[in-house]
Amino acid sequence: MKLSIETRKSGVVVPLGALRTARSGGVGEYPDLAVLGELCERCGLSFVQLLPVNDTGFQSSPYSALSAFALHPLYLRPADLPEAAAFRAEAESLAARFGGRKRFPYPEILSAKLALLRRIFDASLPAIRKDPALAAWIGANPWVRDYAVFLGLKEEHGGKSWKDWPARRDPGAGEVESLWEEPGRRDGHLFHAWVQLRCEEQFLAAFRALADRGVALKGDLPILMNDDSADVWAHRSWFRTDRIAGAPPDMFSELGQNWGFPIYDWDALAREGYSFWTGRLAQAAKFYGAYRIDHVLGFFRIWALPEREESGYLGAFEPGAVVSRAELAAAGFSDGRIRWISEPHIREAALSEAAGRGAAAAEALLDRIGSEPLFLFKRTVRGEKDIRAAGLPEALRDFLQTAWRDRVLIPLGPDSFAFAWRHASASAWPSLSDSERSALEGLLRVKAAESEREWEEHGRRLLSVLKDAADMLPCAEDLGAVPPLVPKVLAELGILGLRIPRWTRRWDEPGQPYVEPGDFPRLTVSAPSVHDTSTLRDWWEHEAGPADRTAAYGAAPPESWSPEAGARILARFAAGASVLLVVQLQDLLDLSPAYASADSRTDRINVPGTVADSNWTWRMPVTLEDLAADPQWAGRVGRSVDRASAKRGASPAAGL
């Protein structure tokens, strides 16, 4: 069921694992979506948006998938399997063991569920081997062979990354197929295929149940793939494993971000008709009527780091215009001068101060320049990881890593360079003459213009492929420092953008006033909060200042949060111009004191940049059936998010 944008609609966004029903097995499961559909119908919600549901193994982040195609077994309901009649008691025991937790224990419940699935599979193995439906499904889904063989090898190697396997790190032509058919491995591979078939069946049944109630399902497609995934392992040519995706430095991250995921080799993908992406879209279209394009900016350009870097500092955009040695020479820079601004030069006095008595250890990574009191890094040092691996004292290591990042230009090859993100902060910059700085700034302006033209063409081409690959409504996550070319291309292609009201301001105007929801572009999705932010109530209580609350409330706000205040704010957003309004389930639960958490800070899905058991494991505190039995709450939700009666820019209706 495709999500239509002919009229404005409201929906709810939730991680599937967060759902709780009377039959949940300790974590939200595919069949729970049918119960959520009943509640949506009662509240007047037109769609459900899910976080990614791909198999991520024992990594709880849904954006770190083992496969771009495989569904997560965590959300499979064992009790509903056709082979599970003799295992009902075990399934119920699993649900009882984990069902009462406030957050679901991700690794424990996944281990327990996989063990139960293995026992069910083993008990029915003779029949499963001969099942024509399973054989036909495997034939129609060739990706499952890569996935099953990959998981089988990971199990053999104790869950280690393929990079740490002693062999089969780079499978040749026909090797996956040969392993798939190997008699001693065949049943293990069949287990993973059988689990995927059953996941798809339960997910499709939930999709149909939602569609029967007029509720569309919206998915989420992460742009990047986990380095340790079946796709990267089996199809290495599609990826640049020598470059890692990340983000440049900003006010929140002084050294930028290193996400640890390889970037795509778009030229290699183009030669194969972008089959990886068209296949992903075809798979998603089985279940979704719309989808979120994660980090859409990455389809225009991605911040790429050499694979030996730890931070995100020494990256460059790919694609992106480069500065050649010949261009630098034409601007008056000799080879020696180019080396001065593109290679860190460490002064002996600074090294001695940082190293103390450990100077000799540091010099193992450095070469002295003749007899000068200056050092360069040895050619064997290729990034921050190499400096860390030297086992130096912490202070000295930090000094050398800081020195490593100190450059105006970043070498991309013997004769090509990119400007460092903060090139003017490099210690070499003040040493340049006015004419040298002027020449470099002129080159930077030229290359920036060339890059923007390249990004626009690149993004238009790739997003056109995605848009034409399946009959789903594409919705882009276009947050952050987005150049004007991005909304231009999105509008041309009819792809919806994203607006987070608390971040949507007129940044170039005095006082940086908020943009009223009524002034958002029509082809956008408006979201009061998302999985990487605080909830609306948490923002109000712990982050927003008086002016922020006034802007959100639309008038003089009350002194403290209340369900009535939350309802008014949501109603203001519902009256906005965005064709879609999507609200986190937590923000809807906060419309009743009966369901609101004692501390709103505990309702976050994820805190970016942190590793904690609380990330990605939030679960609703009440069952969906209990919510459906509460007409007062359902009525307040319905009135708060009603788009049909809300007029653009109108004040919220009284009585909320």
Side-chain angles (χ1 to χ4, degrees):
M1 175 180 171
K2 184 175 181 180
L3 184 58
S4 167
I5 57 171
E6 293 179 2
T7 58
R8 293 176 302 154
K9 293 178 173 63
S10 295
V12 60
V13 58
V14 62
L16 179 51
L19 298 181
R20 190 188 295 268
T21 69
R23 296 198 62 216
S24 297
V27 64
E29 296 169 326
Y30 299 113
D32 292 331
L33 287 168
V35 186
L36 179 59
E38 297 176 22
L39 187 65
C40 287
E41 185 180 36
R42 185 164 302 190
C43 295
L45 296 166
S46 300
F47 65 97
V48 171
Q49 178 177 325
L50 297 176
L51 270 60
V53 293
N54 297 94
D55 184 7
T56 60
F58 284 89
Q59 295 193 56
S60 61
S61 169
Y63 295 92
S64 188
L66 292 174
S67 166
F69 301 88
L71 296 171
H72 210 315
L74 180 71
Y75 309 129
L76 188 63
R77 178 165 294 165
D80 288 358
L81 298 176
E83 301 90 351
F87 294 86
R88 301 282 189 238
E90 285 193 59
E92 291 173 3
S93 174
L94 187 148
R97 177 181 168 192
F98 297 110
R101 312 259 186 116
K102 289 185 177 180
R103 288 183 177 262
F104 61 88
Y106 184 94
E108 292 89 345
I109 198 167
L110 178 58
S111 294
K113 187 168 282 193
L114 287 174
L116 176 56
L117 291 171
R118 285 274 186 181
R119 290 194 292 275
I120 295 171
F121 173 82
D122 289 343
S124 299
L125 182 54
I128 291 173
R129 285 173 176 160
K130 297 183 292 185
D131 184 0
L134 177 58
W137 185 85
I138 292 171
N141 294 272
W143 58 264
V144 80
R145 297 175 184 247
D146 296 337
Y147 166 76
V149 170
F150 174 75
L151 287 191
L153 290 171
K154 275 187 75 71
E155 291 163 3
E156 290 179 25
H157 294 96
K160 292 181 180 178
S161 165
W162 61 263
K163 289 186 174 181
D164 298 323
W165 298 349
R168 299 196 171 99
R169 291 188 297 272
D170 192 4
E175 187 172 350
V176 171
E177 187 65 28
S178 177
L179 287 166
W180 168 266
E181 296 292 351
E182 194 171 302
R185 304 173 186 270
R186 176 68 174 170
D187 287 344
H189 298 153
L190 205 60
F191 168 73
H192 295 298
W194 169 77
V195 167
Q196 286 303 307
L197 170 62
R198 297 302 182 227
C199 285
E200 182 169 304
E201 289 173 342
Q202 290 192 4
F203 200 16
L204 283 173
F207 163 75
R208 288 190 288 266
L210 287 167
D212 287 345
R213 294 183 177 277
V215 178
L217 194 57
K218 181 184 176 187
D220 189 337
L221 267 65
I223 179 176
L224 298 168
M225 290 307 305
N226 188 343
D227 185 47
D228 188 26
S229 66
D231 307 286
V232 176
W233 172 72
H235 301 283
R236 200 71 46 77
S237 65
W238 295 346
F239 299 89
R240 290 276 309 277
T241 54
D242 63 326
R243 288 289 184 269
I244 306 301
D250 59 25
M251 68 179 70
F252 304 107
S253 180
E254 181 67 23
L255 297 181
Q257 300 175 45
N258 184 327
W259 298 337
F261 297 146
I263 68 171
Y264 291 103
D265 187 331
W266 290 112
D267 292 336
L269 287 169
R271 288 192 292 271
E272 297 191 25
Y274 300 103
S275 59
F276 174 70
W277 275 99
T278 56
R280 287 187 74 180
L281 271 293
Q283 178 73 0
K286 293 179 181 179
F287 317 107
Y288 304 125
Y291 65 101
R292 173 184 178 270
I293 306 174
D294 175 51
H295 190 58
V296 75
L297 190 55
F299 289 96
F300 293 83
R301 42 82 162 158
I302 198 83
W303 187 251
L305 305 157
E307 56 93 18
R308 296 301 297 168
E309 297 298 340
E310 288 183 344
S311 74
Y313 198 87
L314 290 181
F317 287 125
E318 290 198 16
V322 301
V323 181
S324 69
R325 186 176 294 272
E327 288 173 311
L328 289 168
F333 288 85
S334 66
D335 285 346
R337 208 62 175 149
I338 292 171
R339 186 176 72 170
W340 173 250
I341 61 177
S342 65
E343 292 188 43
H345 288 61
I346 301 174
R347 299 186 183 278
E348 188 170 28
L351 175 63
S352 298
E353 182 179 350
R357 296 181 179 179
E363 290 180 18
L365 300 176
L366 304 173
D367 285 327
R368 184 183 291 273
I369 303 176
S371 59
E372 295 184 55
L374 284 174
F375 294 89
L376 296 174
F377 282 97
K378 290 182 179 294
R379 297 303 178 194
T380 53
V381 179
R382 296 180 295 123
E384 293 160 314
K385 292 180 181 179
D386 296 317
I387 298 172
R388 181 175 297 278
L392 301 173
E394 182 179 356
L396 179 55
R397 181 200 68 209
D398 291 347
F399 168 79
L400 289 176
Q401 287 189 330
T402 299
W404 174 258
R405 296 187 289 265
D406 183 19
R407 54 186 90 201
V408 175
L409 296 177
I410 301 171
L412 301 178
D415 298 309
S416 61
F417 306 85
F419 280 91
W421 186 256
R422 290 180 173 157
H423 61 277
S425 297
S427 60
W429 186 258
S431 72
L432 301 179
S433 67
D434 290 344
S435 61
E436 286 176 322
R437 286 197 294 268
S438 177
L440 288 174
E441 288 168 347
L443 274 174
L444 178 60
R445 287 191 295 271
V446 169
K447 296 304 174 181
E450 289 179 8
S451 293
E452 292 216 357
R453 290 192 291 271
E454 186 174 12
W455 297 341
E456 181 173 340
E457 190 276 331
H458 191 257
R460 183 180 289 109
R461 180 175 66 253
L462 296 181
L463 292 178
S464 295
V465 170
L466 266 61
K467 189 171 187 292
D468 295 341
D471 189 24
M472 295 184 290
L473 175 66
C475 306
E477 184 271 289
D478 56 346
L479 302 178
V482 177
L485 63 94
V486 174
K488 172 187 173 183
V489 172
L490 295 182
E492 285 178 10
L493 298 177
I495 297 175
L496 276 60
L498 177 62
R499 296 295 183 273
I500 311 297
R502 69 180 81 168
W503 293 341
T504 307
R505 308 176 74 153
R506 304 188 192 280
W507 297 102
D508 56 346
E509 294 184 11
Q512 299 176 335
Y514 284 94
V515 177
E516 282 293 314
D519 293 330
F520 290 174
R522 179 180 179 275
L523 290 182
T524 55
V525 178
S526 176
S529 64
V530 295
H531 60 267
D532 278 339
T533 73
S534 56
T535 63
L536 182 58
R537 175 183 154 215
D538 184 11
W539 172 79
W540 177 281
E541 292 180 336
H542 300 109
E543 298 173 10
D548 304 314
R549 297 191 195 101
T550 298
Y553 196 73
E559 292 185 4
S560 59
W561 173 272
S562 67
E564 291 74 22
R568 177 188 172 96
I569 295 169
L570 289 181
R572 290 194 74 237
F573 297 159
S578 296
V579 70
L580 298 181
L581 170 69
V582 60
V583 184
Q584 283 203 101
L585 180 58
Q586 304 95 301
D587 291 335
L588 298 180
L589 293 175
D590 280 334
L591 298 184
S592 169
Y595 312 128
S597 300
D599 185 347
S600 60
R601 289 169 291 194
T602 65
D603 288 332
R604 284 192 71 141
I605 300 298
N606 178 55
V607 180
T610 67
V611 178
D613 291 341
S614 57
N615 284 344
W616 310 111
T617 58
W618 179 82
R619 200 167 184 219
M620 57 188 297
V622 61
T623 67
L624 291 170
E625 292 92 344
D626 288 340
L627 288 177
D630 185 344
Q632 183 176 358
W633 176 83
R636 172 166 279 172
V637 169
R639 292 189 296 274
S640 299
V641 300
D642 181 16
R643 312 298 304 280
S645 61
K647 296 180 179 179
R648 176 173 171 170
S651 298
L656 289 171

